[in-house]
Short mmCIF file of all heavy atoms in Angstrom, two decimals:
data_model
loop_
_atom_site.label_atom_id
_atom_site.label_comp_id
_atom_site.label_asym_id
_atom_site.label_seq_id
_atom_site.Cartn_x
_atom_site.Cartn_y
_atom_site.Cartn_z
N MET A 1 -106.58 -31.30 -22.62
CA MET A 1 -105.22 -31.32 -23.12
C MET A 1 -104.77 -32.67 -23.32
O MET A 1 -104.86 -33.51 -22.51
CB MET A 1 -104.35 -30.57 -21.99
CG MET A 1 -102.84 -30.47 -22.50
SD MET A 1 -101.79 -30.04 -21.14
CE MET A 1 -102.11 -28.32 -21.05
N ASN A 2 -104.09 -32.86 -24.44
CA ASN A 2 -103.49 -34.23 -24.80
C ASN A 2 -102.13 -34.24 -24.09
O ASN A 2 -101.21 -33.54 -24.45
CB ASN A 2 -103.36 -34.40 -26.27
CG ASN A 2 -102.85 -35.71 -26.65
OD1 ASN A 2 -102.36 -36.46 -25.77
ND2 ASN A 2 -102.88 -36.02 -27.93
N THR A 3 -101.91 -35.11 -23.11
CA THR A 3 -100.67 -35.10 -22.44
C THR A 3 -99.64 -36.03 -23.23
O THR A 3 -98.56 -36.15 -22.72
CB THR A 3 -100.79 -35.78 -21.01
OG1 THR A 3 -101.51 -36.97 -21.13
CG2 THR A 3 -101.69 -34.75 -20.19
N ASP A 4 -100.05 -36.64 -24.27
CA ASP A 4 -99.08 -37.40 -25.14
C ASP A 4 -98.22 -36.51 -25.96
O ASP A 4 -97.22 -37.01 -26.48
CB ASP A 4 -99.83 -38.37 -25.99
CG ASP A 4 -100.56 -39.38 -25.25
OD1 ASP A 4 -100.23 -39.68 -24.11
OD2 ASP A 4 -101.57 -39.96 -25.73
N GLU A 5 -98.61 -35.22 -26.17
CA GLU A 5 -97.87 -34.31 -26.95
C GLU A 5 -96.50 -33.88 -26.24
O GLU A 5 -96.60 -33.61 -25.02
CB GLU A 5 -98.61 -33.05 -27.34
CG GLU A 5 -99.81 -33.41 -28.31
CD GLU A 5 -100.67 -32.24 -28.39
OE1 GLU A 5 -101.14 -31.68 -27.49
OE2 GLU A 5 -100.99 -31.97 -29.58
N PRO A 6 -95.41 -33.83 -26.91
CA PRO A 6 -94.20 -33.35 -26.26
C PRO A 6 -94.24 -31.93 -25.85
O PRO A 6 -94.99 -31.13 -26.52
CB PRO A 6 -93.11 -33.62 -27.32
CG PRO A 6 -93.82 -33.69 -28.60
CD PRO A 6 -95.23 -34.14 -28.31
N THR A 7 -93.58 -31.51 -24.82
CA THR A 7 -93.44 -30.21 -24.41
C THR A 7 -91.97 -29.73 -24.37
O THR A 7 -91.16 -30.57 -24.14
CB THR A 7 -94.12 -29.93 -23.00
OG1 THR A 7 -93.44 -30.68 -22.06
CG2 THR A 7 -95.54 -30.36 -22.96
N VAL A 8 -91.83 -28.40 -24.38
CA VAL A 8 -90.47 -27.88 -24.14
C VAL A 8 -90.67 -26.54 -23.31
O VAL A 8 -91.77 -25.98 -23.30
CB VAL A 8 -89.83 -27.45 -25.60
CG1 VAL A 8 -89.51 -28.70 -26.38
CG2 VAL A 8 -90.64 -26.42 -26.31
N ALA A 9 -89.57 -26.15 -22.85
CA ALA A 9 -89.65 -24.90 -22.13
C ALA A 9 -89.73 -23.75 -23.14
O ALA A 9 -89.28 -23.86 -24.24
CB ALA A 9 -88.33 -24.66 -21.40
N ALA A 10 -90.47 -22.71 -22.86
CA ALA A 10 -90.72 -21.64 -23.86
C ALA A 10 -89.38 -21.01 -24.47
O ALA A 10 -89.45 -20.81 -25.61
CB ALA A 10 -91.57 -20.52 -23.21
N GLU A 11 -88.38 -20.99 -23.70
CA GLU A 11 -87.06 -20.49 -24.17
C GLU A 11 -86.45 -21.34 -25.11
O GLU A 11 -85.51 -20.99 -25.83
CB GLU A 11 -86.18 -20.23 -23.02
CG GLU A 11 -85.77 -21.41 -22.26
CD GLU A 11 -84.86 -21.05 -21.03
OE1 GLU A 11 -84.55 -19.89 -20.87
OE2 GLU A 11 -84.45 -21.95 -20.26
N ASP A 12 -86.95 -22.71 -25.25
CA ASP A 12 -86.34 -23.58 -26.20
C ASP A 12 -87.09 -23.65 -27.50
O ASP A 12 -86.70 -24.34 -28.44
CB ASP A 12 -86.30 -25.02 -25.61
CG ASP A 12 -85.43 -25.07 -24.38
OD1 ASP A 12 -84.29 -24.29 -24.43
OD2 ASP A 12 -85.53 -25.87 -23.54
N LEU A 13 -88.25 -22.83 -27.69
CA LEU A 13 -88.83 -22.82 -29.01
C LEU A 13 -87.98 -22.19 -30.09
O LEU A 13 -87.26 -21.21 -29.79
CB LEU A 13 -90.14 -21.95 -28.89
CG LEU A 13 -91.29 -22.67 -28.13
CD1 LEU A 13 -92.40 -21.68 -27.91
CD2 LEU A 13 -91.89 -23.82 -28.89
N ALA A 14 -87.99 -22.77 -31.25
CA ALA A 14 -87.05 -22.26 -32.30
C ALA A 14 -87.90 -21.87 -33.54
O ALA A 14 -89.11 -22.27 -33.73
CB ALA A 14 -86.15 -23.40 -32.71
N GLN A 15 -87.32 -21.11 -34.35
CA GLN A 15 -87.90 -20.54 -35.61
C GLN A 15 -88.48 -21.69 -36.38
O GLN A 15 -87.82 -22.69 -36.60
CB GLN A 15 -86.90 -19.73 -36.50
CG GLN A 15 -87.59 -19.19 -37.64
CD GLN A 15 -86.62 -18.38 -38.46
OE1 GLN A 15 -85.29 -18.41 -38.15
NE2 GLN A 15 -86.99 -17.59 -39.36
N GLY A 16 -89.79 -21.59 -36.76
CA GLY A 16 -90.45 -22.55 -37.60
C GLY A 16 -91.20 -23.57 -36.89
O GLY A 16 -92.01 -24.40 -37.51
N GLN A 17 -90.95 -23.73 -35.58
CA GLN A 17 -91.61 -24.69 -34.78
C GLN A 17 -93.18 -24.33 -34.54
O GLN A 17 -93.35 -23.17 -34.43
CB GLN A 17 -91.01 -24.93 -33.38
CG GLN A 17 -90.23 -26.07 -33.26
CD GLN A 17 -89.63 -26.25 -31.84
OE1 GLN A 17 -89.27 -25.27 -31.14
NE2 GLN A 17 -89.55 -27.39 -31.40
N TRP A 18 -94.00 -25.27 -34.55
CA TRP A 18 -95.39 -25.05 -34.17
C TRP A 18 -95.64 -25.43 -32.83
O TRP A 18 -95.04 -26.43 -32.18
CB TRP A 18 -96.28 -26.04 -35.07
CG TRP A 18 -96.39 -25.54 -36.46
CD1 TRP A 18 -95.51 -25.84 -37.55
CD2 TRP A 18 -97.38 -24.60 -37.02
NE1 TRP A 18 -95.83 -25.09 -38.69
CE2 TRP A 18 -97.02 -24.41 -38.33
CE3 TRP A 18 -98.40 -24.06 -36.47
CZ2 TRP A 18 -97.82 -23.67 -39.19
CZ3 TRP A 18 -99.21 -23.15 -37.31
CH2 TRP A 18 -98.89 -23.01 -38.63
N PHE A 19 -96.51 -24.70 -32.07
CA PHE A 19 -96.74 -24.95 -30.72
C PHE A 19 -98.21 -24.54 -30.41
O PHE A 19 -98.86 -23.86 -31.13
CB PHE A 19 -95.84 -24.12 -29.77
CG PHE A 19 -96.01 -22.61 -29.73
CD1 PHE A 19 -96.79 -21.94 -28.95
CD2 PHE A 19 -95.41 -21.91 -30.87
CE1 PHE A 19 -96.98 -20.51 -29.08
CE2 PHE A 19 -95.49 -20.52 -30.87
CZ PHE A 19 -96.35 -19.85 -30.06
N TRP A 20 -98.76 -25.08 -29.30
CA TRP A 20 -100.13 -24.78 -28.93
C TRP A 20 -100.12 -23.60 -27.97
O TRP A 20 -99.46 -23.65 -26.86
CB TRP A 20 -100.74 -26.01 -28.17
CG TRP A 20 -101.19 -27.04 -29.15
CD1 TRP A 20 -100.36 -28.17 -29.38
CD2 TRP A 20 -102.30 -27.10 -29.96
NE1 TRP A 20 -100.98 -28.86 -30.27
CE2 TRP A 20 -102.21 -28.32 -30.64
CE3 TRP A 20 -103.41 -26.29 -30.21
CZ2 TRP A 20 -103.09 -28.71 -31.59
CZ3 TRP A 20 -104.35 -26.64 -31.08
CH2 TRP A 20 -104.17 -27.84 -31.74
N HIS A 21 -100.71 -22.49 -28.42
CA HIS A 21 -100.80 -21.38 -27.54
C HIS A 21 -102.05 -21.46 -26.60
O HIS A 21 -103.21 -21.53 -27.09
CB HIS A 21 -100.87 -20.04 -28.37
CG HIS A 21 -101.25 -18.81 -27.49
ND1 HIS A 21 -100.42 -18.47 -26.50
CD2 HIS A 21 -102.24 -17.96 -27.55
CE1 HIS A 21 -100.88 -17.37 -25.98
NE2 HIS A 21 -102.07 -17.08 -26.60
N GLU A 22 -101.88 -21.52 -25.41
CA GLU A 22 -102.96 -21.65 -24.37
C GLU A 22 -102.89 -20.48 -23.48
O GLU A 22 -101.93 -20.35 -22.68
CB GLU A 22 -102.84 -22.95 -23.59
CG GLU A 22 -103.93 -23.22 -22.60
CD GLU A 22 -103.77 -24.56 -21.85
OE1 GLU A 22 -102.61 -25.12 -21.75
OE2 GLU A 22 -104.72 -24.99 -21.30
N PRO A 23 -103.75 -19.48 -23.71
CA PRO A 23 -103.67 -18.16 -22.91
C PRO A 23 -103.59 -18.40 -21.44
O PRO A 23 -102.88 -17.69 -20.75
CB PRO A 23 -104.92 -17.44 -23.39
CG PRO A 23 -105.37 -18.04 -24.64
CD PRO A 23 -104.95 -19.48 -24.53
N ALA A 24 -104.39 -19.39 -20.87
CA ALA A 24 -104.41 -19.63 -19.47
C ALA A 24 -104.86 -21.06 -19.28
O ALA A 24 -105.66 -21.52 -20.25
CB ALA A 24 -105.37 -18.70 -18.74
N PRO A 25 -104.48 -21.77 -18.26
CA PRO A 25 -104.95 -23.14 -18.10
C PRO A 25 -106.44 -23.28 -18.20
O PRO A 25 -107.20 -22.58 -17.58
CB PRO A 25 -104.39 -23.45 -16.74
CG PRO A 25 -103.26 -22.52 -16.54
CD PRO A 25 -103.64 -21.30 -17.16
N GLY A 26 -106.85 -24.31 -19.01
CA GLY A 26 -108.26 -24.46 -19.14
C GLY A 26 -108.94 -23.72 -20.31
O GLY A 26 -110.07 -24.06 -20.85
N LEU A 27 -108.29 -22.70 -20.81
CA LEU A 27 -108.89 -21.97 -22.01
C LEU A 27 -108.54 -22.70 -23.32
O LEU A 27 -107.58 -23.45 -23.38
CB LEU A 27 -108.38 -20.51 -21.99
CG LEU A 27 -108.78 -19.62 -20.87
CD1 LEU A 27 -108.25 -18.23 -21.05
CD2 LEU A 27 -110.33 -19.65 -20.77
N ARG A 28 -109.30 -22.34 -24.29
CA ARG A 28 -109.06 -22.99 -25.61
C ARG A 28 -107.65 -22.61 -26.10
O ARG A 28 -107.24 -21.48 -25.91
CB ARG A 28 -110.19 -22.32 -26.59
CG ARG A 28 -109.98 -22.84 -28.00
CD ARG A 28 -111.12 -22.12 -28.87
NE ARG A 28 -110.81 -22.24 -30.23
CZ ARG A 28 -110.05 -21.42 -30.98
NH1 ARG A 28 -109.57 -20.34 -30.48
NH2 ARG A 28 -109.85 -21.72 -32.21
N SER A 29 -107.06 -23.50 -26.78
CA SER A 29 -105.73 -23.30 -27.43
C SER A 29 -105.82 -23.54 -28.86
O SER A 29 -106.71 -24.07 -29.43
CB SER A 29 -104.71 -24.27 -26.75
OG SER A 29 -105.04 -25.57 -26.99
N TRP A 30 -104.76 -22.93 -29.48
CA TRP A 30 -104.67 -22.93 -30.99
C TRP A 30 -103.29 -23.14 -31.39
O TRP A 30 -102.37 -22.63 -30.61
CB TRP A 30 -105.45 -21.89 -31.67
CG TRP A 30 -105.05 -20.54 -31.22
CD1 TRP A 30 -103.95 -19.78 -31.69
CD2 TRP A 30 -105.48 -19.76 -30.08
NE1 TRP A 30 -103.81 -18.54 -31.03
CE2 TRP A 30 -104.85 -18.61 -29.98
CE3 TRP A 30 -106.59 -19.97 -29.21
CZ2 TRP A 30 -104.99 -17.63 -29.07
CZ3 TRP A 30 -106.83 -19.08 -28.23
CH2 TRP A 30 -106.11 -17.82 -28.25
N PRO A 31 -102.92 -23.67 -32.54
CA PRO A 31 -101.58 -23.86 -32.93
C PRO A 31 -100.98 -22.44 -33.60
O PRO A 31 -101.69 -21.85 -34.28
CB PRO A 31 -101.65 -24.87 -34.00
CG PRO A 31 -103.00 -24.84 -34.53
CD PRO A 31 -103.91 -24.37 -33.45
N LEU A 32 -99.87 -22.16 -33.23
CA LEU A 32 -99.10 -21.04 -33.74
C LEU A 32 -97.69 -21.51 -34.23
O LEU A 32 -97.16 -22.40 -33.71
CB LEU A 32 -98.99 -19.89 -32.76
CG LEU A 32 -100.30 -19.15 -32.24
CD1 LEU A 32 -99.92 -18.23 -31.20
CD2 LEU A 32 -101.00 -18.60 -33.48
N GLN A 33 -97.15 -20.79 -35.19
CA GLN A 33 -95.75 -20.99 -35.57
C GLN A 33 -94.90 -19.94 -35.29
O GLN A 33 -95.15 -18.73 -35.43
CB GLN A 33 -95.77 -21.24 -37.15
CG GLN A 33 -94.32 -21.71 -37.66
CD GLN A 33 -94.37 -21.90 -39.21
OE1 GLN A 33 -95.06 -21.31 -39.90
NE2 GLN A 33 -93.55 -22.89 -39.56
N VAL A 34 -93.63 -20.23 -34.75
CA VAL A 34 -92.71 -19.27 -34.36
C VAL A 34 -92.05 -18.70 -35.55
O VAL A 34 -91.49 -19.40 -36.47
CB VAL A 34 -91.48 -19.92 -33.41
CG1 VAL A 34 -90.48 -18.93 -33.12
CG2 VAL A 34 -92.14 -20.52 -32.29
N ALA A 35 -92.06 -17.33 -35.74
CA ALA A 35 -91.31 -16.66 -36.73
C ALA A 35 -89.92 -16.32 -36.16
O ALA A 35 -88.86 -16.63 -36.70
CB ALA A 35 -92.04 -15.36 -37.22
N THR A 36 -89.97 -15.65 -34.90
CA THR A 36 -88.81 -15.32 -34.25
C THR A 36 -89.11 -15.38 -32.72
O THR A 36 -90.19 -15.21 -32.35
CB THR A 36 -88.19 -13.99 -34.55
OG1 THR A 36 -89.14 -13.02 -34.15
CG2 THR A 36 -87.72 -13.75 -36.00
N ALA A 37 -88.01 -15.67 -31.96
CA ALA A 37 -88.20 -15.66 -30.42
C ALA A 37 -87.10 -14.85 -29.85
O ALA A 37 -85.92 -14.99 -30.24
CB ALA A 37 -88.17 -17.00 -29.95
N GLU A 38 -87.49 -14.00 -29.00
CA GLU A 38 -86.44 -13.13 -28.23
C GLU A 38 -86.47 -13.44 -26.82
O GLU A 38 -87.53 -13.43 -26.23
CB GLU A 38 -86.77 -11.64 -28.40
CG GLU A 38 -85.85 -10.74 -27.69
CD GLU A 38 -86.30 -9.27 -27.82
OE1 GLU A 38 -87.28 -9.06 -28.38
OE2 GLU A 38 -85.41 -8.46 -27.35
N ILE A 39 -85.37 -13.87 -26.26
CA ILE A 39 -85.26 -14.26 -24.82
C ILE A 39 -84.84 -13.07 -24.11
O ILE A 39 -83.80 -12.42 -24.29
CB ILE A 39 -84.19 -15.43 -24.65
CG1 ILE A 39 -84.74 -16.74 -25.39
CG2 ILE A 39 -84.12 -15.73 -23.16
CD1 ILE A 39 -83.69 -17.84 -25.30
N LEU A 40 -85.76 -12.78 -23.09
CA LEU A 40 -85.51 -11.51 -22.25
C LEU A 40 -85.03 -12.14 -20.85
O LEU A 40 -84.90 -13.35 -20.65
CB LEU A 40 -86.83 -10.73 -22.12
CG LEU A 40 -87.42 -10.30 -23.48
CD1 LEU A 40 -88.77 -9.69 -23.18
CD2 LEU A 40 -86.56 -9.38 -24.03
N GLU A 41 -84.91 -11.22 -19.90
CA GLU A 41 -84.36 -11.63 -18.54
C GLU A 41 -85.24 -12.69 -18.02
O GLU A 41 -84.70 -13.81 -17.43
CB GLU A 41 -84.25 -10.44 -17.72
CG GLU A 41 -83.66 -10.74 -16.31
CD GLU A 41 -83.40 -9.54 -15.49
OE1 GLU A 41 -83.09 -8.45 -16.02
OE2 GLU A 41 -83.56 -9.62 -14.26
N ASP A 42 -86.57 -12.54 -17.94
CA ASP A 42 -87.41 -13.46 -17.36
C ASP A 42 -88.50 -13.92 -18.16
O ASP A 42 -89.43 -14.73 -17.66
CB ASP A 42 -87.94 -13.04 -16.00
CG ASP A 42 -88.77 -11.70 -16.29
OD1 ASP A 42 -88.72 -11.17 -17.30
OD2 ASP A 42 -89.51 -11.24 -15.28
N ALA A 43 -88.59 -13.64 -19.49
CA ALA A 43 -89.61 -14.04 -20.36
C ALA A 43 -89.07 -14.28 -21.77
O ALA A 43 -87.95 -14.07 -22.05
CB ALA A 43 -90.68 -12.88 -20.42
N VAL A 44 -89.91 -14.89 -22.60
CA VAL A 44 -89.59 -15.13 -24.03
C VAL A 44 -90.81 -14.39 -24.78
O VAL A 44 -91.89 -14.58 -24.60
CB VAL A 44 -89.64 -16.68 -24.50
CG1 VAL A 44 -89.33 -16.83 -25.80
CG2 VAL A 44 -88.62 -17.34 -23.50
N ARG A 45 -90.32 -13.58 -25.72
CA ARG A 45 -91.24 -12.79 -26.54
C ARG A 45 -91.23 -13.46 -27.90
O ARG A 45 -90.19 -13.60 -28.59
CB ARG A 45 -90.72 -11.32 -26.66
CG ARG A 45 -91.67 -10.50 -27.22
CD ARG A 45 -90.98 -9.06 -27.14
NE ARG A 45 -91.19 -8.50 -28.39
CZ ARG A 45 -91.68 -7.30 -28.68
NH1 ARG A 45 -91.93 -6.57 -27.65
NH2 ARG A 45 -91.88 -6.86 -29.82
N ILE A 46 -92.38 -14.01 -28.38
CA ILE A 46 -92.52 -14.87 -29.54
C ILE A 46 -93.28 -14.08 -30.52
O ILE A 46 -94.50 -13.87 -30.37
CB ILE A 46 -93.12 -16.29 -29.29
CG1 ILE A 46 -92.26 -16.95 -28.17
CG2 ILE A 46 -93.22 -17.03 -30.58
CD1 ILE A 46 -92.97 -18.13 -27.64
N ILE A 47 -92.76 -13.86 -31.65
CA ILE A 47 -93.39 -13.20 -32.84
C ILE A 47 -93.81 -14.51 -33.74
O ILE A 47 -93.06 -15.35 -33.99
CB ILE A 47 -92.50 -12.38 -33.79
CG1 ILE A 47 -91.95 -11.18 -32.89
CG2 ILE A 47 -93.27 -11.77 -34.95
CD1 ILE A 47 -92.88 -10.20 -32.28
N THR A 48 -95.10 -14.54 -34.01
CA THR A 48 -95.64 -15.70 -34.71
C THR A 48 -95.99 -15.38 -36.20
O THR A 48 -95.94 -14.28 -36.51
CB THR A 48 -96.96 -16.34 -34.03
OG1 THR A 48 -97.98 -15.36 -34.34
CG2 THR A 48 -96.75 -16.44 -32.53
N THR A 49 -96.29 -16.36 -36.93
CA THR A 49 -96.63 -16.10 -38.34
C THR A 49 -98.12 -15.84 -38.47
O THR A 49 -98.60 -15.59 -39.60
CB THR A 49 -96.28 -17.38 -39.25
OG1 THR A 49 -96.95 -18.60 -38.63
CG2 THR A 49 -94.75 -17.68 -39.24
N ASP A 50 -98.89 -15.92 -37.41
CA ASP A 50 -100.29 -15.62 -37.39
C ASP A 50 -100.63 -14.11 -37.37
O ASP A 50 -100.10 -13.41 -36.57
CB ASP A 50 -100.96 -16.26 -36.09
CG ASP A 50 -102.44 -16.28 -36.19
OD1 ASP A 50 -103.04 -15.18 -36.09
OD2 ASP A 50 -102.99 -17.35 -36.32
N GLU A 51 -101.44 -13.67 -38.41
CA GLU A 51 -101.67 -12.27 -38.50
C GLU A 51 -102.52 -11.69 -37.33
O GLU A 51 -102.42 -10.50 -37.02
CB GLU A 51 -102.33 -11.93 -39.82
CG GLU A 51 -101.51 -12.19 -41.05
CD GLU A 51 -102.34 -12.00 -42.28
OE1 GLU A 51 -103.44 -11.52 -42.32
OE2 GLU A 51 -101.71 -12.38 -43.35
N VAL A 52 -103.32 -12.55 -36.68
CA VAL A 52 -104.23 -12.03 -35.65
C VAL A 52 -103.42 -12.15 -34.31
O VAL A 52 -103.50 -11.17 -33.50
CB VAL A 52 -105.48 -12.92 -35.58
CG1 VAL A 52 -106.33 -12.50 -34.36
CG2 VAL A 52 -106.28 -12.79 -36.88
N ARG A 53 -102.79 -13.24 -34.10
CA ARG A 53 -102.13 -13.52 -32.81
C ARG A 53 -100.57 -13.38 -33.06
O ARG A 53 -99.87 -14.33 -32.94
CB ARG A 53 -102.44 -14.79 -32.16
CG ARG A 53 -103.91 -14.81 -31.89
CD ARG A 53 -104.39 -16.19 -31.53
NE ARG A 53 -105.81 -16.32 -31.47
CZ ARG A 53 -106.43 -16.69 -32.50
NH1 ARG A 53 -105.97 -17.20 -33.56
NH2 ARG A 53 -107.80 -16.91 -32.45
N GLU A 54 -100.13 -12.27 -33.51
CA GLU A 54 -98.81 -12.08 -33.96
C GLU A 54 -97.73 -12.13 -32.81
O GLU A 54 -96.65 -12.70 -33.01
CB GLU A 54 -98.56 -10.79 -34.61
CG GLU A 54 -97.22 -10.54 -35.21
CD GLU A 54 -97.10 -9.11 -35.94
OE1 GLU A 54 -97.91 -8.28 -35.74
OE2 GLU A 54 -96.14 -9.07 -36.65
N LEU A 55 -98.11 -11.72 -31.63
CA LEU A 55 -97.04 -11.69 -30.50
C LEU A 55 -97.73 -12.40 -29.21
O LEU A 55 -98.66 -12.15 -28.83
CB LEU A 55 -96.74 -10.29 -30.18
CG LEU A 55 -95.86 -9.98 -28.93
CD1 LEU A 55 -94.50 -10.53 -29.11
CD2 LEU A 55 -95.90 -8.55 -28.54
N VAL A 56 -96.81 -13.31 -28.76
CA VAL A 56 -97.16 -13.93 -27.44
C VAL A 56 -95.95 -13.87 -26.58
O VAL A 56 -94.80 -13.86 -27.06
CB VAL A 56 -97.66 -15.38 -27.56
CG1 VAL A 56 -99.05 -15.46 -28.32
CG2 VAL A 56 -96.63 -16.31 -28.25
N SER A 57 -96.22 -13.80 -25.28
CA SER A 57 -95.04 -13.75 -24.33
C SER A 57 -95.23 -14.78 -23.26
O SER A 57 -96.39 -14.85 -22.76
CB SER A 57 -94.96 -12.33 -23.78
OG SER A 57 -93.83 -12.28 -22.95
N TYR A 58 -94.24 -15.50 -22.85
CA TYR A 58 -94.31 -16.55 -21.78
C TYR A 58 -93.14 -16.47 -20.84
O TYR A 58 -92.03 -15.85 -21.27
CB TYR A 58 -94.20 -17.87 -22.38
CG TYR A 58 -95.33 -18.36 -23.39
CD1 TYR A 58 -94.99 -19.03 -24.54
CD2 TYR A 58 -96.63 -18.20 -22.93
CE1 TYR A 58 -96.05 -19.46 -25.39
CE2 TYR A 58 -97.69 -18.67 -23.83
CZ TYR A 58 -97.28 -19.33 -24.95
OH TYR A 58 -98.33 -19.67 -25.86
N ALA A 59 -93.35 -16.88 -19.60
CA ALA A 59 -92.15 -16.99 -18.73
C ALA A 59 -91.14 -17.96 -19.38
O ALA A 59 -91.58 -18.99 -20.13
CB ALA A 59 -92.64 -17.54 -17.37
N ARG A 60 -89.90 -17.75 -19.19
CA ARG A 60 -88.95 -18.58 -19.91
C ARG A 60 -89.07 -20.04 -19.64
O ARG A 60 -88.84 -20.90 -20.53
CB ARG A 60 -87.52 -18.12 -19.42
CG ARG A 60 -87.10 -16.88 -20.09
CD ARG A 60 -85.77 -16.31 -19.72
NE ARG A 60 -84.71 -17.28 -20.10
CZ ARG A 60 -83.42 -17.01 -20.05
NH1 ARG A 60 -83.09 -15.90 -19.54
NH2 ARG A 60 -82.63 -17.87 -20.48
N ASP A 61 -89.50 -20.41 -18.42
CA ASP A 61 -89.53 -21.85 -18.02
C ASP A 61 -91.00 -22.45 -18.24
O ASP A 61 -91.19 -23.63 -17.83
CB ASP A 61 -89.10 -21.98 -16.58
CG ASP A 61 -89.98 -21.21 -15.57
OD1 ASP A 61 -90.79 -20.40 -15.92
OD2 ASP A 61 -89.71 -21.48 -14.35
N ARG A 62 -91.92 -21.65 -18.79
CA ARG A 62 -93.20 -22.25 -18.99
C ARG A 62 -93.16 -23.30 -20.05
O ARG A 62 -92.40 -23.24 -21.00
CB ARG A 62 -94.08 -21.11 -19.62
CG ARG A 62 -95.57 -21.67 -19.86
CD ARG A 62 -96.51 -20.63 -20.24
NE ARG A 62 -97.74 -21.18 -20.79
CZ ARG A 62 -98.79 -20.47 -21.07
NH1 ARG A 62 -98.78 -19.20 -20.83
NH2 ARG A 62 -99.85 -20.98 -21.47
N ARG A 63 -93.76 -24.48 -19.69
CA ARG A 63 -93.82 -25.62 -20.62
C ARG A 63 -94.91 -25.36 -21.67
O ARG A 63 -95.96 -24.91 -21.48
CB ARG A 63 -94.19 -26.90 -19.83
CG ARG A 63 -93.20 -27.31 -18.71
CD ARG A 63 -91.86 -27.39 -19.17
NE ARG A 63 -91.62 -28.59 -20.03
CZ ARG A 63 -90.47 -28.92 -20.68
NH1 ARG A 63 -89.31 -28.13 -20.33
NH2 ARG A 63 -90.40 -29.87 -21.32
N VAL A 64 -94.54 -25.58 -22.87
CA VAL A 64 -95.30 -25.37 -24.08
C VAL A 64 -95.44 -26.61 -24.83
O VAL A 64 -94.50 -27.25 -25.10
CB VAL A 64 -94.64 -24.17 -24.97
CG1 VAL A 64 -95.48 -23.96 -26.21
CG2 VAL A 64 -94.40 -22.97 -24.16
N ARG A 65 -96.66 -26.97 -25.22
CA ARG A 65 -96.96 -28.22 -26.00
C ARG A 65 -96.58 -27.94 -27.46
O ARG A 65 -96.95 -26.82 -28.07
CB ARG A 65 -98.45 -28.67 -25.90
CG ARG A 65 -98.86 -29.17 -24.66
CD ARG A 65 -100.31 -29.55 -24.64
NE ARG A 65 -101.18 -28.56 -25.07
CZ ARG A 65 -102.20 -28.68 -25.81
NH1 ARG A 65 -102.52 -29.84 -26.41
NH2 ARG A 65 -103.01 -27.64 -26.09
N LEU A 66 -95.78 -28.79 -28.06
CA LEU A 66 -95.61 -28.79 -29.52
C LEU A 66 -96.69 -29.27 -30.31
O LEU A 66 -97.48 -30.11 -29.85
CB LEU A 66 -94.34 -29.54 -29.74
CG LEU A 66 -92.99 -29.09 -29.09
CD1 LEU A 66 -91.79 -29.95 -29.42
CD2 LEU A 66 -92.72 -27.61 -29.42
N ALA A 67 -96.92 -28.67 -31.50
CA ALA A 67 -97.93 -29.04 -32.31
C ALA A 67 -97.49 -29.50 -33.64
O ALA A 67 -96.28 -29.17 -34.08
CB ALA A 67 -98.83 -27.82 -32.56
N VAL A 68 -98.17 -30.27 -34.38
CA VAL A 68 -97.85 -30.66 -35.78
C VAL A 68 -98.16 -29.53 -36.64
O VAL A 68 -99.12 -28.80 -36.58
CB VAL A 68 -98.62 -31.89 -36.11
CG1 VAL A 68 -98.29 -32.39 -37.53
CG2 VAL A 68 -98.43 -33.08 -35.10
N ALA A 69 -97.37 -29.30 -37.68
CA ALA A 69 -97.60 -28.21 -38.58
C ALA A 69 -98.99 -28.42 -39.18
O ALA A 69 -99.53 -29.47 -39.48
CB ALA A 69 -96.56 -28.34 -39.84
N SER A 70 -99.63 -27.20 -39.25
CA SER A 70 -101.03 -27.20 -39.74
C SER A 70 -101.16 -26.70 -41.11
O SER A 70 -100.25 -26.17 -41.74
CB SER A 70 -102.01 -26.38 -38.81
OG SER A 70 -101.49 -25.06 -38.60
#
């Protein structure tokens, strides 16, 4: 993991932003783009622009690495 990349809380991801989706610590990650994000009581449900990985969900306070548009 490149620690030089900026991170934000999952609840702060905005439409159009690119982020690195890491399913679990140490697993391979890949860039996804936010289409919409819905903040729930304790989680953020993110619909992405990726046809295969269309939906991801994180705890609201989970730190997410931002990615450069691909």
Side-chain angles (χ1 to χ4, degrees):
M1 176 192 286
N2 181 351
T3 56
D4 294 338
E5 293 172 311
T7 65
V8 296
E11 67 184 352
D12 293 331
L13 285 170
Q15 182 178 13
Q17 254 183 329
W18 285 88
F19 66 98
W20 286 100
H21 172 60
E22 184 178 20
L27 292 182
R28 179 181 166 268
S29 60
W30 53 88
L32 295 175
Q33 185 179 32
V34 177
T36 62
E38 176 184 7
I39 297 176
L40 307 172
E41 187 174 324
D42 60 350
V44 179
R45 195 178 132 128
I46 302 164
I47 305 295
T48 74
T49 58
D50 190 289
E51 293 177 9
V52 175
R53 297 169 195 97
E54 183 179 17
L55 172 67
V56 294
S57 184
Y58 297 134
R60 289 178 64 170
D61 61 351
R62 177 176 170 168
R63 301 302 295 178
V64 179
R65 289 183 301 140
L66 297 179
V68 176
S70 55

